[in-house]
Amino acid sequence: MDLHLNEEQKLLKESAARFLRDQYAFDRRKLLIADDAPSGVWSKLVDLGWLGAWLPEEAGGLGGSAVEFAILMEEAGRHLYVGPYLSASIASALLRNADSRGARERLAASAEGERHLTVAHLEPGSRGMMDSPTVRGIAVGSSYRLTGRKRLVYSGCFADETIVSAVTPDGPSFFAVPMGGTGVATRHYRTVDNDWVSDVEFDLAEAELLVGAPGYASALDDAIYVALLGVGAEAIGLCEAVLTQTKDYLADRKQFGRSLIEFQALQHRISDLFVETETLRWSLLDALSQSSSARTLRARSIFGLKIQAGSIATMVAGQCLHLHGGMGMTDEMPVSHYYRRARMIEAQFGNTDYFTAAYTTLMD
Amino acid sequence: MDLHLNEEQKLLKESAARFLRDQYAFDRRKLLIADDAPSGVWSKLVDLGWLGAWLPEEAGGLGGSAVEFAILMEEAGRHLYVGPYLSASIASALLRNADSRGARERLAASAEGERHLTVAHLEPGSRGMMDSPTVRGIAVGSSYRLTGRKRLVYSGCFADETIVSAVTPDGPSFFAVPMGGTGVATRHYRTVDNDWVSDVEFDLAEAELLVGAPGYASALDDAIYVALLGVGAEAIGLCEAVLTQTKDYLADRKQFGRSLIEFQALQHRISDLFVETETLRWSLLDALSQSSSARTLRARSIFGLKIQAGSIATMVAGQCLHLHGGMGMTDEMPVSHYYRRARMIEAQFGNTDYFTAAYTTLMD
Amino acid sequence: MNLDFSAEDIAFRDEIRAFLSENLPKDIARRFSRGYHPPKKDLQAWQAILHKRGWSVPHWPVEHGGTGWSPIQQYIFDDECLAADAPPVSPFGTRLVGPVIYTFGSDSQKKKYLPAILSGETLWCQGFSEPGSGSDLASLQTRAVRDGADYVVNGRKIWTTDAHFADMMFCLARTSQGRKQQEGISFLLLDMKDPGVTVRPIRTLDAGHTVNEVFIDNVKVSADDLVGQEGKGWSYAKFLLDNERTVNAFVHHSKRAYRRTKKIAQKAQFNGQPLFDVSGFRNRAARLEIELRALEWGVLRMLHSDVPDPTAAASALKLKGCALLQNILDLALDALGLDAIPFYPDPEQEAVSNFF
Amino acid sequence: MNLDFSAEDIAFRDEIRAFLSENLPKDIARRFSRGYHPPKKDLQAWQAILHKRGWSVPHWPVEHGGTGWSPIQQYIFDDECLAADAPPVSPFGTRLVGPVIYTFGSDSQKKKYLPAILSGETLWCQGFSEPGSGSDLASLQTRAVRDGADYVVNGRKIWTTDAHFADMMFCLARTSQGRKQQEGISFLLLDMKDPGVTVRPIRTLDAGHTVNEVFIDNVKVSADDLVGQEGKGWSYAKFLLDNERTVNAFVHHSKRAYRRTKKIAQKAQFNGQPLFDVSGFRNRAARLEIELRALEWGVLRMLHSDVPDPTAAASALKLKGCALLQNILDLALDALGLDAIPFYPDPEQEAVSNFF
């Protein structure tokens, strides 16, 4: 056991931090998120190797592990990154253990930045990633046709292809569907935290089978692990950043002739938030330690991380918002964006209630 | 609607407060609770009319209502009263709407102080008052014989007679059994908060039917209402008293040259506890307002009061304990007794989990 | 002690209910029910209806257009209005400046402004806060300089709710330098259509637009629109702020939010059953229901009896009321689940109607 | 980054487990499992067994009787001992005064005291706190006056854990008046059997007896039992208190408490099913399980890596560790339900055994 980052990991962390600090500073970000779709920064992230950083070499990656992914997501959280990175990573996770040629090709193409993938798994009425799909797939010759509705397809306005879960007579499976194809109708909108999502309606849309029914459950588990690890690590960066900014803000503001940070009651609150943030880092270590464990062990630890991330980020960002007073409520202050992102981390992929219920089914 | 106490109610409150202040001051209480059984103070409470204060005149009372009972229990809570009053009142509540002669006689005898009653309803394995009894009753001529085990019979070491719930072929019913009679084996012990309780084992013990199966549910409802109203009102007195004492303690103690009460962080905590205590008083008003309402309405409000009382008293007394530092952990400081009593209010008759589950079955 | 509503109060509640069911326009209620800020036209249309019935300012003295209701009747009225999803009347005219005008204003001010406040024809905004002044009103920077029959006003106001559609602003401006900071402040009524007024929207966390920054650049205010005496504005502002501190603790809002949350949870499916029947969710809802009922009694207690320490009791109500409303809204978010993620800018959008 | 226990660590854990299952007396474990304070005889019997194996003071330097284990091995050892319900060795000799003696003591003190600390033959208590001094040790009132080869000690100590059965006390006493309050304090080893020592029990909230007030009345302490230099006691006390601040955050206690809570809840019946299967209860247990696993990684992190701010990280661990243990015990109380009410003074009482 050795909890230090190795040299490559340290370099990765520093380079990610530097890149986001330069290219994604809050003022620049404000302009970027006003666009209709994610753009510039994304292709640079791909060039920097973010997609392959945590994938083994045989999957077109750089030989990293879940640790590398967590490092990148933590920095993303610190700088309030919104855009395709997480959804494209979940797509990679879905495909990484599949043995179909289509899956292997796409994994490589995605890591190279040649094809931008996203995931269409959640549906109207879903409460989280473990819910079964109702989109139907029927075989037509060597390909399939999908019919049904998906929602919360991140970067759907932007991706080349989406990995879709659908049920065939053989059971649930994952398919690839080109985003602009026939039989694919999209409705794009924004999220509370300024991300880009789409509703997608398939009407006999042509699809390629990537992961058949026998591999479905395990591919979904891999996707869930990466999705929750992603927001878990992101939440740590978010909490640390919002807490630092809040301390700075309180140090700057004066009331009754004293800097606000000098008030004991405020110091106590800041300390409590620091403790919660630490706790979240401990849960991340736990989840990372189970990245290759048996199904139940891994699921328990990653559900635990999601539950902690959602509730702690909401609490930390909520308290920081409160500590900012009226100013915090404005769009121009970063804290209001951290808060919205924290709320979305809580809701994304299934909220605390959802994963707590799931966790309880796995208790000894 | 008029939320003022009327003149009689004000007098009752003042006289109760005066009596307990004089006769049950903390140092005197220390000696009283060291005894093997409750004594002196109890007969004085009976003489003061505490048992009849809230009963209608036709039930041998003074024509008062639930409000009078709440007034007395609030003062009891303030002065950390332990002893037979609550259990004897629950016995009265069980009998007050029964039409048997035995019930009417006992109600009057109890209010007069001629016969001391208690209740044997909970059993090994029970989690709260709504659990069904398993003690069996069989008819033998005009009387009954009971067999089975009861626990947490308050003042069992002291009462003349206990009202026992038992199941007969006709359904659950309430019976009177003399405490020293044949077939009645008792084991006396103390509670965490220094009250006196007994396990009672009935082995074909002779019993008189007081409330038959048709009246059982409604008598039990009345008993639950009075039991929970009692601890709810008691919790208010407890919270107010422990909070006042804690403020005084903090004002007396100095650290780093300042009185502890001057520290902003401590003031904030005290304010929070005041707010919680206020909330509890609001719940008491709610429960009192439903004293004659239909079953579901009354049950919802009284379960609500119990839930609030248990959690708020535990929280307030727990925080006050913490604010006392190491001294609070000693038996000689009142706060340690308030804390224990608060914990017992939480557990008594069924804890927060129990009544929350019960409440959810009654939601619209 | 008597804890029952009187027969009169119950009859009164029925009367209010009947009125609302007959007179509240369905589309106004629908838009408001969805949690968006009501548009100006809805505010005005609804107040006109209330005004016609004589109920637009129940709390005012009868001689100025009030109803003479008891505190509990006003409580019932507010409760029923929110329960029916009627948007609350804009408070700036009715709750804030109106009472200042009928208490301290000149006869001509009363004649000129009160009728349009009553009817809702004129909507107001409040120009108190300024950049940098925080909650400390006395450190005010806006100045009004007397020039013949007018004051010339210059300054900047911030956090000005509804300034983007208000017709008038009541504002504080410094007319002279007093010994104390509170001295020399005057209370002026300013026309928002004056060309010297510029309103800059402040976008907020909720992606909505309710608050603004207001730039006041050489705006002329007639000396007739000075309320009371020059330099005494601070005392009128204090009077106004004291009126603002009501004791309702958002209880009607919380009741409404709870009902809405329940509806969402009854409709949402969780592992094949309505979310509202899932015991973890139901336990949380139960606790909030219990606290909500308690809060309502807390408010009734303030309306009815002499509480030992009214200031402390009012603070407790306010703190608990805020916390409870937040907890209910948190539960609503949890009930929405994944549906909490999309942002829908328009209340009449199809997707929004799915939840109601 | 490598997050796996090494093969050696896993083998080590197996070795400890095997040792415990063969050597820990069942009755000692049973009494301790019930949450009562272990009696002196259990403490001594178990330490003697550990001592025989050479494991009574793993953290000591090897030359004084320690094991030379890595921090993670010590962690595993503590974890397994508590998991097996072995009562922790009394810390006053082994964790507190022992290291002071082997670091600052004379050779004759080492020879006289260390063996009996290692074996547990001599149990110690700590005479630091005094009435009125709070956590401010420097304001100490106890005095030691040199009289030939002895010090004559007079004073009062409070909150003295285990004083009622300890053989020896290490205590601070003022030997001279320094310029600063911390100066002139000496560190003495005092025999509790001296007739001038009177121990008054302080009854505590848990109705148990662990802490005491100790009256020291003309007690003679040989100058040979002065540790280090006269007047330098404050620095030895600081050394000792720094050692006391471990980073384990009660994680082993919490794990044990959680397992016990689970057992109680599996046995208790709630509406016809085990309480542990009732979803409200299970949700709460899930959250604590998750926090518990997090806490364990928090401790492992402190043992392994350079955390950015070790003092803050240690505080976070301690705060979270305390809170978690309390929350687990709260859940245990809730699981007990009505069984939380009776008070059973004796751990071997029949009623107690029902829960375990």
Side-chain angles (χ1 to χ4, degrees):
Chain A
M1 191 176 287
D2 175 10
L3 307 192
H4 299 83
L5 297 183
N6 63 32
E7 286 310 312
E8 290 76 20
Q9 290 165 342
K10 278 184 200 158
L11 283 174
L12 180 71
K13 185 178 171 74
E14 282 159 23
S15 99
R18 195 179 327 112
F19 174 78
L20 289 167
R21 211 161 45 228
D22 294 347
Q23 302 284 314
Y24 211 73
F26 188 68
D27 285 340
R28 177 124 205 271
R29 175 184 187 275
K30 199 181 284 181
L31 304 173
L32 293 170
I33 63 173
D35 288 345
D36 282 344
S39 49
V41 167
W42 166 240
S43 59
K44 290 183 195 153
L45 290 184
V46 175
D47 292 346
L48 284 171
W50 279 39
L51 276 171
W54 56 278
L55 285 171
E57 286 167 25
E58 61 275 23
L62 303 170
S65 67
V67 174
E68 277 73 11
F69 180 62
I71 288 170
L72 294 171
M73 286 303 300
E74 183 179 326
E75 294 309 314
R78 207 179 299 280
H79 295 86
L80 275 170
Y81 170 78
V82 287
Y85 181 60
L86 182 57
S87 50
S89 297
I90 299 169
S92 299
L94 267 175
L95 302 182
R96 66 179 283 191
N97 291 315
D99 48 14
S100 68
R101 215 185 66 184
R104 283 197 308 276
E105 278 172 9
R106 279 173 181 83
L107 205 50
S110 164
E112 299 287 322
E114 286 160 18
R115 199 175 316 182
H116 174 209
L117 302 179
T118 187
V119 177
H121 174 54
L122 298 167
E123 300 183 358
S126 301
R127 295 200 67 84
M129 279 184 90
M130 264 105 62
D131 291 1
S132 305
T134 67
V135 167
R136 296 261 139 203
I138 45 170
V140 178
S142 69
S143 83
Y144 284 79
R145 302 286 165 131
L146 306 190
T147 300
R149 289 167 66 197
K150 294 287 182 183
R151 67 183 310 215
L152 290 173
V153 180
Y154 278 78
S155 297
C157 55
F158 183 74
D160 301 310
E161 217 174 38
T162 182
I163 315 294
V164 186
S165 57
V167 189
T168 72
D170 296 335
S173 313
F174 288 106
F175 299 87
V177 179
M179 278 304 283
T182 49
V184 180
T186 53
R187 214 172 129 272
H188 306 311
Y189 47 103
R190 303 299 297 269
T191 62
V192 168
D193 56 340
N194 299 109
D195 215 330
W196 295 266
V197 291
S198 309
D199 291 342
V200 183
E201 186 153 3
F202 300 103
D203 182 12
L204 293 173
E206 192 169 337
E208 178 183 343
L209 179 69
L210 297 183
V211 180
Y216 177 85
S218 134
L220 180 61
D221 282 349
D222 289 345
I224 291 172
Y225 181 76
V226 162
L228 305 190
L229 185 67
V231 289
E234 187 187 354
I236 293 176
L238 185 157
C239 287
E240 288 189 353
V242 73
L243 200 48
T244 302
Q245 295 189 11
T246 302
K247 276 192 275 189
D248 292 348
Y249 182 81
L250 293 177
D252 277 356
R253 301 281 293 184
K254 301 235 183 308
Q255 206 170 51
F256 307 112
R258 282 201 289 166
S259 160
L260 284 177
I261 198 80
E262 293 171 47
F263 287 85
Q264 195 191 27
L266 300 187
Q267 284 171 10
H268 281 221
R269 277 169 72 183
I270 293 279
S271 304
D272 287 347
L273 302 180
F274 169 78
V275 173
E276 292 303 316
T277 305
E278 282 286 293
T279 312
L280 189 48
R281 192 173 283 288
W282 308 337
S283 284
L284 175 66
L285 288 174
D286 181 46
L288 287 171
S289 77
Q290 304 295 333
S291 68
S292 324
S293 300
R295 187 175 186 284
T296 303
L297 291 175
R298 185 171 76 158
R300 277 205 297 235
S301 75
I302 199 69
F303 295 175
L305 175 63
K306 174 61 165 72
I307 290 165
Q308 294 279 80
S311 38
I312 292 173
T314 301
M315 196 269 257
V316 170
Q319 289 282 314
C320 285
L321 185 71
H322 197 233
L323 289 166
H324 271 74
M327 274 307 287
M329 302 304 284
T330 63
D331 202 64
E332 55 198 274
M333 290 298 283
V335 69
S336 72
H337 294 262
Y338 282 112
Y339 177 73
R340 280 179 268 180
R341 181 64 199 131
R343 283 281 183 188
M344 294 302 100
I345 286 175
E346 159 64 29
Q348 239 175 321
F349 309 123
N351 63 16
T352 294
D353 286 350
Y354 182 83
F355 282 107
T356 305
Y359 185 98
T360 60
T361 64
L362 302 177
M363 283 164 85
D364 292 329
Chain B
M1 192 176 289
D2 176 10
L3 307 192
H4 298 84
L5 296 184
N6 65 31
E7 286 310 311
E8 291 76 19
Q9 290 166 341
K10 279 185 200 155
L11 283 174
L12 180 70
K13 185 178 170 74
E14 282 158 24
S15 98
R18 195 179 326 111
F19 174 78
L20 289 167
R21 212 162 42 229
D22 294 348
Q23 303 283 313
Y24 211 72
F26 187 67
D27 285 340
R28 179 127 203 270
R29 175 184 188 274
K30 199 180 286 182
L31 303 173
L32 292 169
I33 63 174
D35 287 346
D36 282 343
S39 49
V41 167
W42 167 239
S43 58
K44 291 182 193 154
L45 290 183
V46 175
D47 291 347
L48 284 172
W50 279 38
L51 275 170
W54 56 277
L55 286 171
E57 285 167 24
E58 61 274 22
L62 304 171
S65 67
V67 174
E68 278 73 10
F69 180 62
I71 289 171
L72 294 172
M73 285 304 298
E74 184 179 326
E75 294 309 314
R78 210 179 297 281
H79 294 87
L80 275 171
Y81 170 79
V82 288
Y85 181 60
L86 183 57
S87 51
S89 297
I90 299 169
S92 300
L94 268 175
L95 301 182
R96 64 177 285 191
N97 291 315
D99 48 13
S100 68
R101 215 186 64 184
R104 283 197 307 277
E105 279 172 9
R106 280 175 180 82
L107 205 50
S110 165
E112 298 288 321
E114 286 159 17
R115 199 175 316 182
H116 174 210
L117 301 179
T118 187
V119 178
H121 174 54
L122 299 167
E123 300 183 356
S126 300
R127 296 200 66 85
M129 278 184 89
M130 264 106 61
D131 291 0
S132 306
T134 67
V135 167
R136 296 263 138 200
I138 44 172
V140 178
S142 68
S143 83
Y144 284 78
R145 302 286 165 129
L146 306 190
T147 300
R149 289 168 66 197
K150 294 287 183 184
R151 67 182 311 215
L152 290 172
V153 180
Y154 278 78
S155 297
C157 55
F158 183 74
D160 300 312
E161 216 172 40
T162 181
I163 315 294
V164 186
S165 56
V167 189
T168 72
D170 296 334
S173 313
F174 287 107
F175 299 87
V177 179
M179 278 304 284
T182 47
V184 180
T186 52
R187 215 172 128 272
H188 306 311
Y189 47 101
R190 303 299 297 271
T191 62
V192 168
D193 56 340
N194 299 111
D195 214 330
W196 296 265
V197 290
S198 309
D199 292 341
V200 183
E201 186 153 1
F202 300 103
D203 182 11
L204 293 173
E206 192 167 340
E208 179 182 342
L209 180 69
L210 298 183
V211 180
Y216 177 84
S218 131
L220 180 61
D221 282 349
D222 289 345
I224 290 172
Y225 182 76
V226 163
L228 305 190
L229 185 67
V231 288
E234 186 187 355
I236 294 175
L238 185 157
C239 287
E240 289 189 352
V242 73
L243 201 48
T244 303
Q245 294 189 11
T246 303
K247 276 192 273 190
D248 292 347
Y249 182 80
L250 292 178
D252 277 356
R253 300 281 292 185
K254 300 235 184 309
Q255 205 170 50
F256 308 112
R258 283 201 288 165
S259 160
L260 283 178
I261 198 81
E262 292 172 46
F263 286 85
Q264 195 191 25
L266 300 187
Q267 284 172 11
H268 281 221
R269 277 168 72 180
I270 292 278
S271 304
D272 287 347
L273 302 180
F274 169 78
V275 172
E276 293 302 316
T277 305
E278 282 286 294
T279 312
L280 190 48
R281 192 173 282 289
W282 308 336
S283 285
L284 176 65
L285 288 173
D286 181 47
L288 287 171
S289 77
Q290 305 295 334
S291 68
S292 324
S293 299
R295 187 175 187 283
T296 302
L297 290 176
R298 186 171 76 159
R300 277 205 296 235
S301 74
I302 200 71
F303 295 174
L305 176 62
K306 174 60 165 71
I307 289 165
Q308 294 280 79
S311 38
I312 292 173
T314 300
M315 197 269 259
V316 170
Q319 289 282 313
C320 285
L321 184 71
H322 196 233
L323 289 166
H324 271 74
M327 274 308 286
M329 303 302 284
T330 62
D331 202 64
E332 56 198 272
M333 291 297 283
V335 68
S336 72
H337 294 262
Y338 281 112
Y339 177 73
R340 278 179 268 181
R341 180 64 199 131
R343 283 280 183 188
M344 294 301 101
I345 286 176
E346 159 64 29
Q348 239 174 320
F349 309 123
N351 63 17
T352 293
D353 286 349
Y354 183 83
F355 282 107
T356 305
Y359 185 98
T360 60
T361 65
L362 302 176
M363 284 163 84
D364 291 329
Chain C
M1 196 179 259
N2 169 5
L3 297 143
D4 298 323
F5 282 92
S6 69
E8 291 73 23
D9 289 338
I10 293 168
F12 178 79
R13 191 183 280 278
D14 290 341
E15 185 190 354
I16 305 295
R17 264 187 209 168
F19 169 78
L20 287 163
S21 97
E22 280 162 37
N23 294 284
L24 175 63
K26 296 270 171 298
D27 62 324
I28 292 181
R30 186 181 62 237
R31 278 188 292 274
F32 186 61
S33 75
R34 293 178 178 175
Y36 291 71
H37 300 292
K40 182 176 187 178
K41 70 172 171 51
D42 286 1
L43 286 176
Q44 287 186 312
W46 175 231
Q47 191 176 339
I49 295 166
L50 285 173
H51 177 55
K52 205 175 139 202
R53 183 71 175 80
W55 290 353
S56 65
V57 288
H59 55 290
W60 285 21
V62 176
E63 73 262 36
H64 295 300
T67 53
W69 291 339
S70 68
I72 192 118
Q73 286 177 316
Q74 291 189 39
Y75 178 86
I76 291 169
F77 177 72
D78 291 344
D79 197 31
E80 290 299 326
C81 283
L82 265 178
D85 286 320
V89 161
S90 166
F92 301 103
T94 57
R95 298 225 158 242
L96 302 178
V97 78
V100 170
I101 292 174
Y102 66 63
T103 308
F104 305 104
S106 64
D107 283 345
S108 71
Q109 285 169 347
K110 289 181 200 165
K111 210 175 292 169
K112 184 171 171 195
Y113 293 118
L114 293 184
I117 290 176
L118 273 168
S119 67
E121 222 178 302
T122 306
L123 293 185
W124 291 70
C125 64
Q126 168 176 300
F128 283 10
S129 298
E130 299 188 354
S133 74
S135 40
D136 180 9
L137 286 182
S139 69
L140 202 75
Q141 297 297 319
T142 297
R143 318 204 146 254
V145 177
R146 187 68 183 248
D147 178 19
D150 295 328
Y151 289 95
V152 179
V153 188
N154 278 287
R156 231 166 111 199
K157 299 288 178 183
I158 201 165
W159 308 126
T160 318
T161 303
D162 295 350
H164 52 303
F165 64 62
D167 307 295
M168 292 290 296
M169 170 194 274
F170 55 95
C171 73
L172 295 178
R174 191 166 288 287
T175 41
S176 69
Q177 205 61 50
R179 269 160 312 168
K180 293 189 201 159
Q181 274 201 311
Q182 287 87 338
E183 290 176 7
I185 291 176
S186 295
F187 194 109
L188 300 172
L189 309 178
L190 179 156
D191 191 330
M192 294 293 282
K193 286 182 289 292
D194 191 287
V197 174
T198 313
V199 175
R200 185 184 76 87
I202 300 175
R203 294 267 153 203
T204 42
L205 179 46
D206 59 357
H209 172 205
T210 43
V211 295
N212 302 275
E213 194 166 0
V214 180
F215 298 87
I216 304 173
D217 188 18
N218 282 321
V219 171
K220 283 201 171 145
V221 172
S222 158
D224 294 343
D225 285 331
L226 167 75
V227 175
Q229 288 180 263
E230 188 182 289
K232 297 277 185 208
W234 180 248
S235 62
Y236 313 138
K238 273 206 333 202
F239 168 87
L240 175 151
L241 293 172
D242 284 343
N243 283 337
E244 197 184 10
R245 290 196 196 99
T246 56
V247 292
N248 76 35
F250 311 109
V251 67
H252 313 305
H253 288 85
S254 284
K255 284 167 76 173
R256 184 166 159 266
Y258 180 71
R259 278 191 296 265
R260 189 165 57 180
T261 305
K262 199 160 143 179
K263 264 192 213 154
I264 295 169
Q266 282 164 336
K267 202 163 164 185
Q269 293 290 309
F270 191 88
N271 292 335
Q273 60 178 328
L275 177 62
F276 195 66
D277 295 343
V278 173
S279 77
F281 190 90
R282 213 172 167 83
N283 286 349
R284 285 173 66 197
R287 295 300 288 267
L288 295 178
E289 225 178 88
I290 290 165
E291 288 192 33
L292 191 48
R293 228 174 18 229
L295 186 72
E296 187 150 24
W297 277 101
V299 174
L300 291 169
R301 179 165 169 249
M302 281 297 278
L303 297 180
H304 270 271
S305 82
D306 312 322
V307 295
D309 180 349
T311 314
S315 296
L317 265 181
K318 195 176 171 189
L319 284 169
K320 203 72 199 176
C322 283
L324 181 57
L325 183 53
Q326 281 183 19
N327 289 338
I328 292 171
L329 295 175
D330 280 344
L331 188 70
L333 265 187
D334 290 346
L336 283 170
L338 296 165
D339 289 326
I341 297 176
F343 170 63
Y344 302 110
D346 176 8
E348 301 276 18
Q349 214 164 334
E350 188 204 336
V352 181
S353 65
N354 288 335
F355 310 120
F356 296 96
Chain D
M1 197 179 258
N2 169 6
L3 297 144
D4 298 322
F5 282 92
S6 68
E8 291 74 24
D9 290 338
I10 293 168
F12 178 80
R13 192 183 280 278
D14 290 341
E15 184 191 353
I16 305 295
R17 265 187 207 167
F19 168 78
L20 287 163
S21 98
E22 280 162 37
N23 293 284
L24 175 62
K26 297 269 172 298
D27 62 323
I28 292 180
R30 186 180 62 237
R31 277 187 293 275
F32 185 60
S33 76
R34 293 178 178 174
Y36 292 72
H37 299 291
K40 182 176 186 178
K41 70 173 172 49
D42 286 1
L43 286 176
Q44 287 187 310
W46 173 232
Q47 191 176 339
I49 294 165
L50 284 173
H51 177 55
K52 205 174 139 203
R53 183 69 175 80
W55 290 352
S56 64
V57 288
H59 56 289
W60 285 21
V62 176
E63 74 261 35
H64 294 300
T67 54
W69 291 339
S70 70
I72 192 117
Q73 285 178 318
Q74 291 189 40
Y75 178 86
I76 291 170
F77 177 72
D78 291 344
D79 196 32
E80 290 299 325
C81 284
L82 266 178
D85 285 320
V89 162
S90 167
F92 300 104
T94 57
R95 297 223 160 244
L96 302 179
V97 77
V100 170
I101 292 175
Y102 66 63
T103 309
F104 305 105
S106 63
D107 283 345
S108 71
Q109 285 168 347
K110 290 181 201 169
K111 210 175 291 170
K112 184 171 171 195
Y113 293 118
L114 293 184
I117 289 176
L118 274 169
S119 67
E121 222 179 300
T122 307
L123 293 185
W124 291 70
C125 65
Q126 168 177 299
F128 283 10
S129 300
E130 299 188 354
S133 74
S135 40
D136 180 11
L137 287 182
S139 69
L140 201 76
Q141 298 298 317
T142 297
R143 314 203 150 254
V145 178
R146 187 68 183 247
D147 178 20
D150 294 329
Y151 290 95
V152 180
V153 188
N154 277 288
R156 230 166 110 200
K157 299 289 177 181
I158 200 165
W159 310 125
T160 318
T161 303
D162 295 351
H164 52 303
F165 63 62
D167 307 294
M168 294 289 296
M169 171 194 273
F170 56 94
C171 73
L172 295 178
R174 192 167 286 288
T175 41
S176 68
Q177 206 61 50
R179 271 159 311 168
K180 293 190 203 157
Q181 274 199 312
Q182 288 86 338
E183 290 175 8
I185 291 176
S186 296
F187 194 109
L188 300 172
L189 309 177
L190 178 155
D191 191 331
M192 294 292 284
K193 286 181 288 294
D194 190 288
V197 174
T198 313
V199 175
R200 186 185 75 88
I202 300 175
R203 292 268 154 205
T204 43
L205 177 48
D206 59 356
H209 172 204
T210 44
V211 296
N212 302 276
E213 194 167 359
V214 181
F215 298 87
I216 303 172
D217 189 17
N218 283 321
V219 171
K220 281 201 174 148
V221 173
S222 157
D224 294 342
D225 286 331
L226 166 75
V227 175
Q229 288 179 264
E230 189 182 286
K232 297 277 183 207
W234 179 248
S235 63
Y236 312 139
K238 273 207 332 199
F239 168 87
L240 176 151
L241 293 173
D242 284 342
N243 284 338
E244 197 183 10
R245 289 195 196 102
T246 57
V247 291
N248 77 35
F250 311 110
V251 67
H252 313 304
H253 288 85
S254 284
K255 285 166 77 173
R256 185 167 158 264
Y258 181 72
R259 278 191 295 264
R260 188 165 57 181
T261 304
K262 200 160 145 179
K263 265 192 213 155
I264 294 169
Q266 282 164 336
K267 202 164 164 182
Q269 294 289 309
F270 191 88
N271 292 334
Q273 60 178 328
L275 176 63
F276 194 66
D277 295 343
V278 173
S279 77
F281 190 90
R282 213 172 167 80
N283 286 350
R284 284 174 68 197
R287 294 300 288 266
L288 295 178
E289 226 179 88
I290 290 164
E291 289 193 32
L292 191 48
R293 228 175 18 227
L295 186 72
E296 187 151 24
W297 277 101
V299 174
L300 291 170
R301 180 165 169 251
M302 282 296 278
L303 296 180
H304 269 271
S305 83
D306 312 322
V307 295
D309 180 349
T311 315
S315 296
L317 265 181
K318 196 176 171 188
L319 284 168
K320 202 71 199 176
C322 283
L324 181 58
L325 183 54
Q326 280 182 19
N327 289 338
I328 292 171
L329 296 175
D330 280 344
L331 188 70
L333 265 186
D334 290 346
L336 283 170
L338 296 166
D339 289 326
I341 297 176
F343 170 63
Y344 302 110
D346 175 9
E348 302 275 18
Q349 215 165 332
E350 188 203 336
V352 181
S353 64
N354 287 335
F355 310 120
F356 295 96

